[in-house]
């Protein structure tokens, strides 16, 4: 068991609506009246603008979400005669327009280990060059009145080999590089996907020993902004619950789920675009379920209950030494058959379920059962958490009760156990009383 802070309440702002290398494609223009102007090139990327310019009005967006702190991303790759002025202007506007209580950290650059292969730096650019450039930039944006704190620039990968150099999140933090020689780095960010769980464990331990906070600064289900039929269906909500809680269980402090307008793994679609209406997408429900599991405590401790299975997962939430909640996931795929069984004279197959039995839960007599469910793993609508829908078509994303208002209650049986059935492609949250 480890202590894990909440995964919510902090937003990483990159200087364009979408992410990837986008912060490194942004130029500040003090005379620009519009907050942001994006320059699109479909031949380059249909999900992200090729370049963007921002004006002072851009920072007005930082007041849109109350009670949220921000990590502000700045351009690293810009390397012309006015790159330092561009950085200093962005920092100045951030300090001017964002309340100090809501400005968490600054981050200069994104996935810079890819620089030597992306054309933003020469082929013989090395890790030492990366560090030296980063130090130079941080020292020239540091202010005498406000001591800026930094989010270390994220690596996209775990090893990139060029003809001249090798980039690795382990070696870049080797003491010989003197990355944190000024002592201004508070947190370290690494990007990645689920298959690299053991890598993140190793990096977490490396930075914990050095007293640094370790986060997943950009992640989600499938690289390249997600995939239709994988990232935009109910199965992705189940994935998010399992994914976020697994990393929380060994100490990752936060996970920044990669989002963007029209992304397949986006949690919501805020505006109409290319014939697609605003929508609350399936991944959103996974985040709601995780939030319910963490509860109101900012120091909830998470334990992964290893069931030794690829299809079933379980996690326990503690507040202090007291077990308060358990979440159970049945990750076996279920989709309702697309047949009219009555027409053929037989009964449709019923949805399979798995019985989970909890032993040794002391001090409680009953548990409230709340479901995250949908008709099937490939469903894109009719999804609920505890009987509540957040579909845009119902109330523009506000919660609407569409299922039973009273959650099921199970009681301790005569053997001192709690037992509950979880259907395939479903998650169950138990809250003990």
């Amino acid at each position: 068991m480890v202590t894990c802070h909440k995964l919510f309440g902090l937003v990483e702002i990159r200087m364009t609506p979408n992410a990837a290398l986008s912060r490194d494609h942004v130029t500040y223009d003090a005379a620009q009246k519009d907050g942001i102007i994006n320059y699109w090139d479909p031949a380059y990327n249909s999900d992200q603008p090729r370049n963007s310019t921002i004006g002072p009005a851009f920072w007005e967006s930082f007041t849109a979400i109350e009670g949220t702190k921000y990590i502000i991303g700045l351009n690293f790759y810009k390397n012309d005669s006015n790159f330092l002025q561009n950085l200093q202007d962005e920092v100045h506007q951030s300090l001017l327009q964002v309340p100090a209580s809501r400005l968490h950290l600054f981050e200069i650059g994104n996935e810079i280990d890819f620089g030597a292969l992306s054309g933003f730096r020469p082929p013989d650019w090395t890790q030492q060059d990366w560090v030296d450039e980063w130090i130079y930039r941080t020292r020239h944006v540091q202010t005498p009145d406000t001591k800026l704190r930094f989010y270390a620039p994220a690596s996209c990968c775990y090893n990139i080999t060029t003809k001249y150099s090798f980039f690795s999140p382990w070696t870049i933090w080797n003491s010989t590089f003197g990355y944190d020689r000024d002592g201004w780095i508070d947190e370290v960010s690494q990007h990645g996907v689920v298959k690299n769980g053991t890598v993140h464990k190793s990096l977490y331990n490396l930075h914990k020993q050095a007293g640094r906070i370790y986060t997943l600064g950009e992640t989600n289900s499938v690289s390249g902004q997600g995939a239709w039929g994988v990232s935009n269906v109910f199965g992705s909500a189940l994935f998010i619950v399992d994914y976020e809680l697994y990393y929380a269980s060994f100490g990752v402090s936060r996970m920044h789920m990669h989002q963007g307008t029209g992304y397949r793994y986006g949690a919501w679609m805020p505006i109409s675009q290319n014939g697609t209406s605003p929508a609350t997408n399936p991944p959103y429900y996974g985040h709601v379920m995780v939030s319910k599991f963490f509860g109101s405590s900012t120091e909830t401790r998470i334990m992964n209950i290893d069931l030794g299975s690829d299809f079933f997962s379980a996690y326990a939430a503690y507040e202090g030494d007291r077990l308060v909640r358990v979440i159970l996931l049945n990750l076996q795929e279920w989709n309702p058959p697309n047949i009219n069984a009555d027409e053929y004279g037989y009964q449709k197959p019923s949805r399979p379920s798995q019985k989970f039995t909890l032993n040794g839960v002391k001090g409680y007599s009953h548990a409230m059962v709340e479901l995250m469910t949908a008709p099937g793993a490939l469903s894109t609508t009719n999804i609920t958490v505890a009987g509540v829908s957040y579909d845009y078509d119902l109330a523009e994303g506000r919660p609407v009760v569409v299922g039973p208002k009273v959650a099921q209650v199970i009681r301790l049986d005569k053997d001192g156990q709690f037992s509950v059935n979880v259907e395939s492609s479903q998650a169950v949250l138990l809250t003990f009383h």
Side-chain angles (χ1 to χ4, degrees), residues 7 9 77 88 91 262 295 310 376:
L7 302 179
Y77 282 142
Q88 290 163 354
V91 168
D310 292 334

Side-chain angles (χ1 to χ4, degrees), residues 82 99 176 338:
N82 71 335
T176 60
N338 188 24

Side-chain angles (χ1 to χ4, degrees), residues 74-356:
L74 307 172
N75 191 322
F76 178 90
Y77 282 142
K78 184 177 173 61
N79 206 29
D80 56 15
S81 60
N82 71 335
F83 77 92
L84 279 180
Q85 188 63 54
N86 186 78
L87 284 173
Q88 290 163 354
D89 288 344
E90 291 180 348
V91 168
H92 173 72
Q93 288 296 325
S94 299
L95 294 175
L96 181 67
Q97 298 197 50
V98 182
S101 62
R102 299 181 65 182
L103 206 165
H104 186 57
L105 298 170
F106 286 94
E107 182 176 14
I108 303 179
N110 178 63
E111 299 187 349
I112 305 172
D113 51 332
F114 200 62
L117 297 177
S118 64
F120 284 96
R121 290 296 184 270
D124 58 350
W125 196 63
T126 67
Q127 290 193 110
Q128 187 65 63
D129 294 329
W130 173 5
V131 173
D132 291 343
E133 286 194 38
W134 191 87
I135 294 293
Y136 183 80
R137 283 161 172 74
T138 57
R139 287 179 174 176
H140 281 79
V141 300
Q142 186 61 273
T143 64
D145 299 326
T146 304
K147 188 176 182 182
L148 305 185
R149 309 298 300 177
F150 292 93
Y151 195 50
S155 300
C156 77
C157 309
Y158 306 102
N159 49 62
I160 288 182
T161 302
T162 72
K163 181 179 179 181
Y164 302 95
S165 186
F166 173 71
F167 291 79
S168 162
W170 284 275
T171 58
I172 199 68
W173 283 100
N174 187 296
S175 59
T176 60
F177 286 107
Y179 209 139
D180 197 18
R181 68 191 72 168
D182 294 318
W184 297 338
I185 295 175
D186 282 355
E187 301 185 19
V188 177
S189 169
Q190 173 68 39
H191 297 178
V193 293
V194 68
K195 68 180 181 181
N196 297 306
T198 56
V199 172
H200 287 295
K201 278 188 176 181
S202 176
L203 287 169
Y204 163 77
N205 289 328
L206 171 71
H207 292 292
K208 181 182 179 182
Q209 292 167 9
R212 294 183 290 259
I213 294 173
Y214 182 73
T215 67
L216 267 69
E218 180 185 311
T219 190
N220 214 307
S221 57
V222 180
S223 296
Q225 289 71 253
W228 296 115
V230 177
S231 307
N232 68 316
V233 297
F234 178 62
S236 66
L238 294 165
F239 159 79
I240 282 170
V241 175
D242 196 26
Y243 186 42
E244 292 186 350
L245 296 185
Y246 172 71
Y247 283 105
S249 72
F250 66 78
V252 171
S253 296
R254 285 193 316 277
M255 296 174 67
H256 299 170
M257 303 303 282
H258 193 214
Q259 303 289 294
T261 304
Y263 286 8
R264 276 64 68 195
Y265 52 40
W268 60 82
M269 179 73 169
I271 59 174
S272 296
Q273 186 183 71
N274 299 328
T276 301
S277 300
T280 306
N281 299 329
Y284 186 83
Y285 291 86
H287 297 304
V288 171
M289 193 66 162
V290 170
S291 183
K292 289 177 70 69
F293 178 68
F294 272 98
S296 59
S297 173
T298 59
E299 297 291 336
T300 302
R301 294 186 299 137
I302 307 301
M303 183 173 69
N304 175 24
I305 305 172
D306 188 357
L307 302 179
S309 170
D310 292 334
F311 299 103
F312 308 114
S313 295
Y315 299 90
Y318 289 79
E319 293 178 3
D321 294 328
R322 184 170 62 97
L323 174 68
V324 289
R325 287 173 293 276
V326 166
I327 202 163
L328 305 167
L329 293 101
N330 185 335
L331 302 174
Q332 295 186 107
E333 184 174 0
W334 165 260
N335 292 294
N338 188 24
I339 59 173
N340 186 342
D342 293 337
E343 180 180 341
Y344 295 97
Y346 62 87
Q347 187 176 9
K348 286 185 179 180
S350 59
R351 191 168 184 165
S353 66
Q354 175 69 36
K355 183 178 180 179
F356 291 82

